[in-house]
Amino acid sequence: MTGGDALLLRPWRAADAAELVLVLVLVLVQRGDAALRRWTGAAVDDEAAALAWIAGQARGWETGDRLGFAVVAAESPGASGSPDQEGELLGHIVLKDVLSGDGRAEVGYWTAARARGRGVAPRPLTALTGWAFGRGLTRLELLHQMDNTASCRVALKCGYERTGVLPAAPPEFPLDGCLHARLRDGQGRMAST
């Protein structure tokens, strides 16, 4: 799945483990990227944990209920002669609870510190949204903590309207959550909300 200008969305693979550690741990320590750790909750502290996390992503694909994609920079075809040459890991995007049976699913994403401010998050979200609706889903929901204003901007930019606030549920969700939704016809709200 290719989404947007010079980005590639593809399932995670074991070969991504070292770069995942770099993004989630080393950058966190070296540059103080506490935001990513706080908002993702990903428990990846070393390569073994990264491999376990990637195995969890693969299990989601096997069951069909959680479809996680690595978001990587796509190298230009002229650079290597291959149109599928990949660059650096820029983030993650996921379609969750796909098999709920009611046409709904949840989307989630994170971007590496090196990708922020470059318009990376909206492009895979737009691509995944179209892909999900093309496969029969009718409503996608996106939830972020109230203080994550960057995710709120991305959601709104991609047509996900704010539909409500969910109360905090510590310890996993220590702050209120902002719920956004988008319907297949482009409307964010359902008639009943």
Side-chain angles (χ1 to χ4, degrees), residues 24-42:
L24 292 179
V25 178
L26 298 181
V27 172
L28 175 72
V29 172
Q30 294 171 355
R31 294 193 206 157
D33 189 13
L36 181 58
R37 180 66 76 133
R38 191 177 95 204
W39 286 322
T40 65

Side-chain angles (χ1 to χ4, degrees), residues 19 71-75 86-91 114 118:
E19 195 168 8
V71 178
V72 297
E75 296 292 328
E86 294 179 16
E88 65 185 352
L89 174 65
L90 300 175
R114 60 188 175 203
R118 295 172 35 195

Side-chain angles (χ1 to χ4, degrees), residues 124-186:
L125 180 56
T126 298
L128 183 68
T129 298
W131 186 77
F133 286 151
R135 277 145 185 78
L137 292 172
T138 58
R139 178 181 168 103
L140 298 177
E141 296 179 340
L142 186 154
L143 179 64
H144 62 81
Q145 286 187 177
M146 290 298 289
D147 64 338
N148 189 343
T149 57
S151 278
C152 193
R153 286 190 304 271
V154 168
L156 294 171
K157 182 176 183 173
C158 294
Y160 285 77
E161 290 186 24
R162 276 184 70 162
T163 59
V165 175
L166 301 178
E172 190 174 356
F173 303 104
L175 300 175
D176 287 349
C178 182
L179 179 64
H180 295 258
R182 183 164 167 190
L183 298 180
R184 184 170 45 202
D185 66 8

